[in-house]
Amino acid sequence: DAGITQSPRHKVTETGTPVTLRCHQTENHRYMYWYRQDPGHGLRLIHYSYGVKDTDKGEVSDGYSVSRSKTEDFLLTLESATSSQTSVYFCAISEGGPRREKLFFGSGTQLSVL
Amino acid sequence: QQQVKQSPQSLIVQKGGISIINCAYENTAFDYFPWYQQFPGKGPALLIAIRPDVSEKKEGRFTISFNKSAKQFSLHIMDSQPGDSATYFCAATRASGGSNYKLTFGKGTLLTVNP
């Protein structure tokens, strides 16, 4: 999966607890994205980063925050998890430049909030 | 507001048949239209993509047809094989003008190819 590691791969947590998902890349790509995938909704962008400490919101950013202190790591935090955040979370990276539109996805994190 | 509408939700095709998945978009600023293929337990992977300066792009058994005036594009899989069984997502973005290349995805089509 193009040098992308998501951790953990599976997590079960309780409502109200904080959760952090990690995306680590070895490609030195500039752009990183967090998507969630839900049945009937496809893939929806949560947050993205266009450089170290440069982040912006996607279409479903409420309840999520992100941080990128190093090129290789992009963290997604659920400050207080809710059942509606049960989903599969995918990290994606993009090189930028002439191949900027091509996204490479990680294998996903299955998160269950009980 | 759903900017990319994909149909059908699911599709069953016999081996050797043609699979057709359609997408329609609303934002006329979109200028890059990829298709992603996703197998169970895996992340989506880029399959094929088209820009609006051409009406068709073919890569092996996979073809994208693009109709700019109708704001529609479709994926055709010729000689469909059981190994093509997967979920397919269309997407769109504005790739030019210094945008941050955020892809908007359709809701996906689950393709099953029966042997």
Side-chain angles (χ1 to χ4, degrees), chain B residues 12-96:
Chain B
I12 300 174
V13 175
Q14 291 300 117
K15 178 182 176 181
I18 302 173
S19 304
I20 302 174
I21 305 171
N22 301 298
C23 281
Y25 63 97
E26 299 168 0
N27 189 341
T28 55
F30 288 156
D31 58 5
Y32 176 73
F33 304 90
W35 286 88
Y36 281 77
Q37 179 188 54
Q38 183 182 31
F39 294 107
K42 300 291 187 181
L46 179 64
L47 183 63
I48 187 173
I50 196 168
R51 299 183 190 278
D53 52 341
V54 296
S55 60
E56 185 175 284
K57 183 173 182 179
K58 184 177 181 179
E59 291 185 2
R61 296 183 294 107
F62 300 90
T63 300
I64 300 179
S65 297
F66 184 79
N67 185 329
K68 187 175 182 179
S69 61
K71 293 188 288 185
Q72 295 175 347
F73 58 109
S74 59
L75 176 68
H76 296 240
I77 306 175
M78 312 300 289
D79 187 26
S80 298
Q81 299 296 312
D84 297 330
S85 297
T87 299
Y88 292 82
F89 293 96
C90 62
T93 189
R94 183 186 177 202
S96 60

XYZ file of all heavy atoms in Angstrom, chain B residues 12-96:
666
model
N -24.676 -7.023 -10.798
C -24.283 -8.426 -10.965
C -24.164 -8.706 -12.452
O -25.107 -8.438 -13.212
C -25.301 -9.377 -10.307
C -25.399 -9.103 -8.816
C -24.875 -10.836 -10.542
C -26.483 -9.904 -8.112
N -23.025 -9.242 -12.852
C -22.732 -9.492 -14.255
C -22.185 -10.907 -14.397
O -21.493 -11.408 -13.497
C -21.706 -8.457 -14.772
C -21.273 -8.762 -16.193
C -22.279 -7.051 -14.694
N -22.498 -11.519 -15.503
C -21.938 -12.834 -15.782
C -20.521 -12.691 -16.352
O -20.195 -11.699 -17.029
C -22.819 -13.596 -16.762
C -24.174 -14.009 -16.193
C -24.031 -14.920 -14.990
O -24.439 -14.587 -13.875
N -23.424 -16.082 -15.212
N -19.718 -13.684 -16.082
C -18.360 -13.706 -16.628
C -18.405 -13.509 -18.134
O -19.196 -14.141 -18.839
C -17.686 -15.031 -16.286
C -16.280 -15.185 -16.848
C -15.705 -16.551 -16.510
C -14.328 -16.733 -17.152
N -13.758 -18.077 -16.856
N -17.545 -12.609 -18.610
C -17.501 -12.317 -20.035
C -18.397 -11.172 -20.466
O -18.289 -10.681 -21.593
N -19.261 -10.731 -19.586
C -20.179 -9.643 -19.913
C -19.539 -8.270 -19.734
O -18.378 -8.136 -19.350
N -20.313 -7.251 -20.024
C -19.847 -5.872 -19.886
C -20.469 -5.256 -18.632
O -21.680 -5.292 -18.447
C -20.222 -5.024 -21.113
C -19.639 -5.648 -22.382
C -19.719 -3.587 -20.939
C -20.100 -4.956 -23.654
N -19.626 -4.680 -17.796
C -20.097 -3.976 -16.599
C -20.048 -2.483 -16.889
O -19.037 -1.978 -17.394
C -19.210 -4.303 -15.399
O -19.138 -5.691 -15.170
N -21.126 -1.793 -16.557
C -21.181 -0.347 -16.792
C -21.623 0.357 -15.519
O -22.656 0.026 -14.940
C -22.149 -0.002 -17.939
C -21.733 -0.715 -19.225
C -22.187 1.525 -18.150
C -22.713 -0.539 -20.362
N -20.828 1.313 -15.087
C -21.125 2.106 -13.898
C -21.109 3.569 -14.305
O -20.211 4.008 -15.022
C -20.090 1.853 -12.787
C -19.996 0.355 -12.467
C -20.462 2.634 -11.528
C -18.846 -0.004 -11.546
N -22.118 4.294 -13.862
C -22.288 5.679 -14.291
C -22.109 6.664 -13.151
O -22.466 6.379 -12.011
C -23.683 5.857 -14.885
C -23.915 4.941 -16.071
O -23.224 5.032 -17.073
N -24.878 4.046 -15.945
N -21.594 7.834 -13.502
C -21.468 8.915 -12.531
C -21.848 10.236 -13.170
O -21.602 10.440 -14.370
C -20.055 8.995 -11.968
S -19.744 7.759 -10.705
N -22.427 11.108 -12.375
C -22.779 12.446 -12.823
C -22.255 13.447 -11.801
O -22.261 13.172 -10.598
C -24.294 12.578 -12.963
N -21.794 14.573 -12.288
C -21.251 15.581 -11.378
C -21.952 16.906 -11.609
O -22.593 17.123 -12.641
C -19.734 15.718 -11.560
C -19.298 16.202 -12.929
C -19.006 17.550 -13.164
C -19.166 15.316 -13.987
C -18.601 17.983 -14.408
C -18.753 15.742 -15.230
C -18.469 17.069 -15.450
O -18.076 17.498 -16.684
N -21.810 17.797 -10.629
C -22.503 19.082 -10.702
C -21.543 20.263 -10.878
O -21.901 21.251 -11.514
C -23.330 19.272 -9.425
C -24.401 18.202 -9.231
C -25.008 18.238 -7.842
O -24.604 19.091 -7.029
O -25.880 17.392 -7.552
N -20.374 20.139 -10.308
C -19.439 21.258 -10.301
C -18.682 21.338 -11.631
O -17.857 20.484 -11.946
C -18.458 21.086 -9.143
C -17.581 22.304 -8.915
O -17.430 23.142 -9.790
N -17.013 22.399 -7.729
N -18.952 22.373 -12.405
C -18.312 22.499 -13.719
C -16.828 22.831 -13.621
O -16.118 22.795 -14.626
C -19.022 23.585 -14.557
O -19.028 24.807 -13.812
C -20.456 23.169 -14.853
N -16.344 23.123 -12.427
C -14.912 23.382 -12.246
C -14.104 22.084 -12.160
O -12.884 22.107 -12.276
C -14.682 24.212 -10.989
N -14.779 20.968 -11.958
C -14.059 19.688 -11.892
C -13.363 19.430 -13.229
O -13.952 19.596 -14.297
C -15.011 18.536 -11.586
C -15.525 18.512 -10.177
C -16.726 17.876 -9.874
C -14.814 19.090 -9.139
C -17.206 17.829 -8.569
C -15.282 19.052 -7.841
C -16.479 18.426 -7.553
N -12.105 18.987 -13.147
C -11.380 18.714 -14.387
C -10.515 17.458 -14.310
O -9.588 17.272 -15.099
C -10.521 19.920 -14.770
C -9.520 20.301 -13.674
O -9.416 19.577 -12.664
O -8.846 21.335 -13.834
N -10.811 16.604 -13.358
C -10.084 15.339 -13.248
C -11.038 14.328 -12.657
O -11.655 14.573 -11.625
C -8.849 15.510 -12.360
C -8.074 14.239 -12.114
C -7.291 13.664 -13.109
C -8.105 13.618 -10.870
C -6.569 12.505 -12.881
C -7.386 12.462 -10.625
C -6.625 11.910 -11.632
O -5.906 10.765 -11.404
N -11.173 13.174 -13.359
C -12.209 12.209 -13.000
C -11.589 10.808 -12.925
O -11.456 10.120 -13.924
C -13.344 12.247 -14.030
C -13.938 13.616 -14.200
C -13.424 14.502 -15.140
C -14.994 14.032 -13.405
C -13.945 15.778 -15.286
C -15.529 15.306 -13.552
C -15.006 16.177 -14.487
N -11.232 10.369 -11.717
C -10.641 9.033 -11.563
C -11.686 8.007 -11.126
O -12.738 8.339 -10.593
C -9.620 9.252 -10.442
C -10.244 10.312 -9.591
C -11.067 11.190 -10.520
N -11.343 6.768 -11.358
C -12.099 5.644 -10.817
C -11.165 4.857 -9.901
O -10.017 4.584 -10.262
C -12.612 4.735 -11.928
C -13.764 5.311 -12.684
C -13.727 6.116 -13.772
C -15.154 5.108 -12.387
N -14.987 6.446 -14.180
C -15.885 5.836 -13.352
C -15.852 4.382 -11.412
C -17.282 5.867 -13.367
C -17.233 4.403 -11.428
C -17.940 5.144 -12.393
N -11.698 4.478 -8.739
C -10.943 3.681 -7.786
C -11.617 2.325 -7.616
O -12.838 2.211 -7.655
C -10.848 4.386 -6.422
C -9.795 5.476 -6.386
C -10.027 6.723 -6.976
C -8.555 5.257 -5.792
C -9.060 7.706 -6.958
C -7.585 6.239 -5.767
C -7.842 7.456 -6.359
O -6.873 8.434 -6.339
N -10.785 1.308 -7.396
C -11.249 -0.057 -7.204
C -10.863 -0.486 -5.792
O -9.723 -0.266 -5.359
C -10.569 -0.974 -8.228
C -10.925 -2.446 -8.152
C -10.040 -3.258 -9.092
O -8.823 -3.193 -9.040
N -10.657 -4.025 -9.973
N -11.804 -1.084 -5.079
C -11.525 -1.492 -3.711
C -11.949 -2.937 -3.477
O -13.118 -3.281 -3.670
C -12.245 -0.584 -2.708
C -11.937 -0.904 -1.257
C -12.710 -0.029 -0.288
O -13.827 0.393 -0.562
N -12.124 0.236 0.869
N -10.995 -3.756 -3.050
C -11.289 -5.128 -2.664
C -11.539 -5.174 -1.159
O -11.043 -4.322 -0.407
C -10.137 -6.047 -3.057
C -9.959 -6.168 -4.546
C -8.890 -5.550 -5.190
C -10.863 -6.889 -5.314
C -8.729 -5.648 -6.555
C -10.710 -6.994 -6.692
C -9.645 -6.372 -7.309
N -12.306 -6.178 -0.705
C -12.628 -6.261 0.731
C -11.375 -6.248 1.597
O -10.397 -6.939 1.323
C -13.365 -7.603 0.827
C -13.978 -7.788 -0.516
C -12.978 -7.227 -1.489
N -11.418 -5.416 2.640
C -10.308 -5.350 3.584
C -9.132 -4.525 3.125
O -8.117 -4.448 3.823
N -9.263 -3.911 1.962
C -8.170 -3.109 1.402
C -8.612 -1.670 1.192
O -9.798 -1.346 1.184
C -7.727 -3.686 0.053
C -7.235 -5.122 0.126
C -5.922 -5.212 0.863
C -5.350 -6.610 0.786
N -4.053 -6.714 1.538
N -7.637 -0.803 1.026
C -7.962 0.564 0.669
C -8.221 0.675 -0.824
O -7.817 -0.179 -1.604
N -8.915 1.739 -1.244
C -9.144 1.951 -2.683
C -7.825 2.149 -3.413
O -6.866 2.685 -2.854
C -9.982 3.236 -2.707
C -10.555 3.359 -1.331
C -9.540 2.767 -0.409
N -7.801 1.737 -4.664
C -6.618 1.897 -5.506
C -7.047 2.497 -6.835
O -8.075 2.104 -7.397
C -5.921 0.561 -5.722
N -6.268 3.448 -7.323
C -6.582 4.097 -8.587
C -6.575 3.083 -9.721
O -5.619 2.333 -9.906
C -5.571 5.211 -8.869
C -5.769 5.969 -10.176
C -7.093 6.727 -10.163
C -4.613 6.937 -10.413
N -7.660 3.104 -10.496
C -7.813 2.170 -11.603
C -7.527 2.853 -12.939
O -6.732 2.395 -13.745
C -9.237 1.617 -11.587
C -9.618 0.555 -12.605
C -8.808 -0.703 -12.399
C -11.120 0.265 -12.509
N -8.201 3.958 -13.171
C -8.078 4.684 -14.426
C -8.636 6.079 -14.200
O -9.480 6.273 -13.330
C -8.833 3.940 -15.560
C -8.595 4.581 -16.926
C -10.315 3.832 -15.240
C -9.191 3.754 -18.088
N -8.166 7.046 -14.972
C -8.636 8.418 -14.793
C -8.698 9.134 -16.139
O -8.005 8.733 -17.094
C -7.732 9.176 -13.838
N -9.514 10.190 -16.205
C -9.668 10.933 -17.451
C -9.747 12.417 -17.159
O -10.183 12.824 -16.079
C -10.929 10.453 -18.215
C -10.890 10.920 -19.671
C -12.201 10.923 -17.518
C -11.958 10.243 -20.549
N -9.301 13.214 -18.104
C -9.475 14.664 -18.048
C -10.450 15.056 -19.144
O -10.582 14.344 -20.136
C -8.121 15.359 -18.227
C -7.139 15.011 -17.148
C -5.825 15.756 -17.310
N -4.810 15.237 -16.392
C -4.707 15.589 -15.121
N -5.548 16.476 -14.623
N -3.764 15.081 -14.361
N -11.117 16.212 -19.018
C -12.208 16.545 -19.939
C -11.780 16.927 -21.351
O -12.635 17.229 -22.177
C -12.897 17.721 -19.233
C -11.890 18.291 -18.328
C -11.023 17.163 -17.895
N -10.489 16.893 -21.653
C -10.067 17.225 -23.008
C -10.211 16.037 -23.958
O -10.029 16.184 -25.170
C -8.626 17.743 -23.022
C -7.654 16.816 -22.316
O -8.110 15.969 -21.505
O -6.448 16.924 -22.565
N -10.551 14.851 -23.424
C -10.807 13.686 -24.265
C -12.149 13.083 -23.871
O -12.633 13.272 -22.760
C -9.703 12.609 -24.132
C -8.388 13.146 -24.636
C -9.582 12.129 -22.692
N -12.763 12.363 -24.799
C -14.087 11.786 -24.526
C -14.006 10.324 -24.096
O -14.992 9.767 -23.624
C -14.975 11.903 -25.757
O -14.391 11.209 -26.843
N -12.837 9.729 -24.267
C -12.710 8.321 -23.914
C -11.261 7.997 -23.603
O -10.342 8.525 -24.218
C -13.196 7.442 -25.075
C -13.214 5.960 -24.766
C -13.815 5.151 -25.912
O -15.046 5.158 -26.068
O -13.027 4.514 -26.639
N -11.089 7.112 -22.614
C -9.753 6.624 -22.295
C -9.844 5.138 -22.016
O -10.719 4.705 -21.272
C -9.170 7.350 -21.085
C -7.738 6.916 -20.769
C -7.138 7.759 -19.688
C -5.699 7.346 -19.408
N -5.095 8.186 -18.346
N -8.952 4.386 -22.611
C -8.999 2.930 -22.479
C -7.680 2.415 -21.939
O -6.611 2.801 -22.384
C -9.289 2.300 -23.851
C -9.449 0.794 -23.832
C -9.806 0.280 -25.219
C -9.994 -1.227 -25.202
N -10.358 -1.737 -26.550
N -7.804 1.517 -20.970
C -6.629 0.829 -20.437
C -6.991 -0.638 -20.251
O -7.692 -1.007 -19.306
C -6.172 1.438 -19.107
C -5.582 2.829 -19.240
C -5.013 3.385 -17.946
O -5.039 2.676 -16.919
O -4.557 4.537 -17.952
N -6.548 -1.448 -21.188
C -6.879 -2.860 -21.142
C -8.373 -3.068 -21.293
O -8.987 -2.567 -22.233
N -8.977 -3.764 -20.350
C -10.421 -4.019 -20.423
C -11.257 -2.878 -19.833
O -12.480 -2.937 -19.847
C -10.737 -5.320 -19.686
C -10.107 -6.559 -20.308
C -10.514 -7.839 -19.587
N -10.001 -7.916 -18.229
C -10.745 -7.761 -17.129
N -12.042 -7.532 -17.236
N -10.204 -7.868 -15.936
N -10.609 -1.863 -19.293
C -11.305 -0.764 -18.617
C -11.323 0.483 -19.504
O -10.290 0.893 -20.021
C -10.625 -0.450 -17.289
C -10.608 -1.615 -16.330
C -9.557 -2.517 -16.323
C -11.659 -1.814 -15.446
C -9.547 -3.597 -15.444
C -11.656 -2.887 -14.565
C -10.601 -3.785 -14.571
N -12.506 1.063 -19.659
C -12.677 2.260 -20.477
C -13.511 3.279 -19.717
O -14.521 2.927 -19.117
C -13.372 1.932 -21.805
O -12.580 0.994 -22.538
C -13.565 3.194 -22.642
N -13.049 4.534 -19.741
C -13.875 5.632 -19.239
C -14.432 6.369 -20.448
O -13.689 6.748 -21.357
C -13.072 6.633 -18.395
C -12.441 5.982 -17.167
C -13.985 7.773 -17.941
C -11.632 6.962 -16.335
N -15.750 6.598 -20.414
C -16.392 7.464 -21.399
C -16.799 8.746 -20.701
O -17.353 8.703 -19.606
C -17.614 6.777 -21.995
O -17.240 5.610 -22.690
N -16.529 9.881 -21.329
C -16.772 11.168 -20.689
C -17.635 12.040 -21.579
O -17.363 12.198 -22.777
C -15.429 11.857 -20.408
C -15.554 13.154 -19.671
C -15.756 13.170 -18.301
C -15.487 14.363 -20.348
C -15.878 14.368 -17.616
C -15.609 15.566 -19.666
C -15.806 15.558 -18.295
N -18.704 12.614 -21.015
C -19.598 13.507 -21.740
C -19.636 14.834 -20.993
O -20.359 14.980 -20.003
C -20.999 12.893 -21.840
C -21.942 13.720 -22.699
O -21.831 14.946 -22.767
N -22.879 13.058 -23.349
N -18.848 15.785 -21.462
C -18.709 17.053 -20.756
C -20.015 17.837 -20.729
O -20.387 18.420 -19.708
C -17.604 17.891 -21.394
C -17.254 19.156 -20.627
C -16.068 19.853 -21.253
C -15.684 21.101 -20.471
N -14.501 21.780 -21.057
N -20.740 17.863 -21.839
C -21.966 18.659 -21.896
C -23.029 18.113 -20.945
O -23.802 18.862 -20.353
C -22.508 18.708 -23.327
O -22.816 17.400 -23.777
N -23.065 16.807 -20.802
C -24.036 16.190 -19.896
C -23.512 16.091 -18.472
O -24.247 15.700 -17.560
C -24.409 14.800 -20.393
N -22.241 16.408 -18.274
C -21.590 16.289 -16.969
C -21.723 14.867 -16.431
O -22.141 14.642 -15.282
C -22.135 17.325 -15.985
C -21.772 18.763 -16.372
C -22.137 19.769 -15.311
C -23.621 19.969 -15.233
N -24.017 21.033 -14.293
N -21.378 13.922 -17.291
C -21.464 12.514 -16.920
C -20.216 11.778 -17.384
O -19.605 12.138 -18.396
C -22.709 11.871 -17.550
C -24.028 12.439 -17.046
C -25.215 11.852 -17.774
O -25.080 11.199 -18.804
N -26.398 12.061 -17.217
N -19.855 10.751 -16.643
C -18.778 9.871 -17.075
C -19.091 8.459 -16.574
O -19.815 8.286 -15.586
C -17.412 10.360 -16.612
C -17.242 10.518 -15.122
C -16.440 9.638 -14.409
C -17.844 11.564 -14.429
C -16.257 9.789 -13.047
C -17.670 11.720 -13.068
C -16.882 10.831 -12.374
N -18.580 7.487 -17.296
C -18.918 6.114 -16.964
C -17.699 5.205 -17.111
O -16.777 5.509 -17.873
C -20.060 5.610 -17.843
O -19.694 5.681 -19.201
N -17.747 4.114 -16.370
C -16.698 3.087 -16.441
C -17.293 1.858 -17.109
O -18.361 1.384 -16.702
C -16.214 2.736 -15.037
C -15.184 1.602 -14.948
C -13.856 2.036 -15.557
C -15.001 1.158 -13.498
N -16.603 1.363 -18.132
C -17.007 0.143 -18.805
C -15.925 -0.900 -18.570
O -14.735 -0.632 -18.811
C -17.167 0.378 -20.308
C -18.250 1.338 -20.663
N -19.324 1.001 -21.456
C -18.454 2.639 -20.321
C -20.129 2.046 -21.594
N -19.619 3.045 -20.912
N -16.341 -2.066 -18.096
C -15.409 -3.178 -17.931
C -15.807 -4.246 -18.935
O -16.874 -4.861 -18.818
C -15.441 -3.747 -16.502
C -15.210 -2.633 -15.483
C -14.380 -4.844 -16.348
C -15.357 -3.082 -14.034
N -14.961 -4.429 -19.933
C -15.240 -5.420 -20.968
C -14.784 -6.794 -20.491
O -13.856 -6.913 -19.678
C -14.506 -5.047 -22.258
C -14.671 -3.601 -22.691
S -16.385 -3.166 -23.002
C -16.631 -4.087 -24.521
N -15.461 -7.835 -21.016
C -15.060 -9.216 -20.679
C -14.860 -9.345 -19.166
O -13.800 -9.765 -18.685
C -13.782 -9.592 -21.428
C -13.392 -11.045 -21.267
O -14.282 -11.872 -21.025
O -12.180 -11.345 -21.369
N -15.864 -8.974 -18.395
C -15.760 -8.963 -16.935
C -15.368 -10.342 -16.402
O -15.854 -11.377 -16.889
C -17.083 -8.525 -16.322
O -17.408 -7.208 -16.736
N -14.506 -10.331 -15.396
C -13.999 -11.559 -14.799
C -14.332 -11.597 -13.299
O -14.476 -10.553 -12.670
C -12.490 -11.637 -14.977
C -12.038 -11.656 -16.420
C -12.530 -12.890 -17.157
O -12.410 -14.021 -16.657
N -13.089 -12.691 -18.342
N -14.429 -12.795 -12.729
C -14.706 -12.884 -11.285
C -13.714 -12.077 -10.450
O -14.075 -11.543 -9.405
C -14.597 -14.384 -11.011
C -15.016 -15.023 -12.290
C -14.465 -14.126 -13.370
N -12.487 -11.965 -10.898
C -11.470 -11.176 -10.196
C -11.740 -9.687 -10.219
O -11.098 -8.931 -9.480
N -12.685 -9.252 -11.048
C -13.077 -7.840 -11.081
C -14.087 -7.514 -9.986
O -14.435 -6.345 -9.780
C -13.695 -7.481 -12.435
C -12.729 -7.638 -13.595
O -11.517 -7.453 -13.377
O -13.189 -7.947 -14.714
N -14.597 -8.536 -9.318
C -15.576 -8.326 -8.252
C -14.955 -7.462 -7.166
O -13.957 -7.842 -6.538
C -16.044 -9.666 -7.675
O -16.710 -10.423 -8.659
N -15.541 -6.300 -6.945
C -14.985 -5.307 -6.034
C -15.978 -4.161 -5.936
O -17.009 -4.152 -6.609
C -13.639 -4.783 -6.552
N -15.652 -3.190 -5.107
C -16.422 -1.956 -5.060
C -15.685 -0.904 -5.878
O -14.467 -0.744 -5.736
C -16.609 -1.467 -3.618
O -17.318 -2.465 -2.871
C -17.402 -0.163 -3.581
N -16.426 -0.211 -6.717
C -15.843 0.805 -7.590
C -16.384 2.177 -7.200
O -17.585 2.347 -6.998
C -16.168 0.504 -9.050
C -15.469 -0.741 -9.540
C -16.001 -1.995 -9.272
C -14.273 -0.674 -10.239
C -15.347 -3.151 -9.681
C -13.614 -1.812 -10.667
C -14.159 -3.044 -10.382
O -13.505 -4.190 -10.790
N -15.474 3.121 -7.092
C -15.833 4.489 -6.751
C -15.415 5.420 -7.886
O -14.266 5.378 -8.343
C -15.117 4.958 -5.486
C -15.530 4.255 -4.235
C -14.801 3.177 -3.749
C -16.641 4.675 -3.518
C -15.175 2.535 -2.585
C -17.021 4.039 -2.358
C -16.297 2.967 -1.880
N -16.334 6.271 -8.316
C -15.925 7.363 -9.173
C -15.594 8.557 -8.274
O -15.996 8.606 -7.110
C -17.009 7.735 -10.180
S -18.556 8.321 -9.451
N -14.858 9.492 -8.803
C -14.474 10.666 -8.038
C -14.232 11.822 -8.994
O -14.144 11.636 -10.217
C -13.229 10.391 -7.203
N -14.138 13.002 -8.423
C -13.891 14.186 -9.229
C -13.192 15.234 -8.378
O -13.352 15.271 -7.155
C -15.194 14.746 -9.783
N -12.417 16.068 -9.037
C -11.756 17.161 -8.347
C -11.373 18.238 -9.349
O -11.379 18.006 -10.551
C -10.500 16.683 -7.600
O -10.008 17.750 -6.775
C -9.383 16.280 -8.560
N -11.066 19.385 -8.823
C -10.473 20.427 -9.639
C -8.972 20.320 -9.440
O -8.458 20.634 -8.368
C -10.980 21.807 -9.222
C -10.421 22.904 -10.105
C -10.811 24.276 -9.615
N -10.202 25.310 -10.449
C -9.995 26.557 -10.068
N -10.369 26.942 -8.859
N -9.438 27.411 -10.872
N -8.295 19.846 -10.433
C -6.871 19.587 -10.308
C -6.022 20.793 -10.680
O -4.845 20.856 -10.359
C -6.474 18.404 -11.189
N -6.614 21.768 -11.346
C -5.847 22.919 -11.805
C -6.035 24.098 -10.867
O -6.820 24.047 -9.935
C -6.296 23.311 -13.218
O -7.674 23.632 -13.207
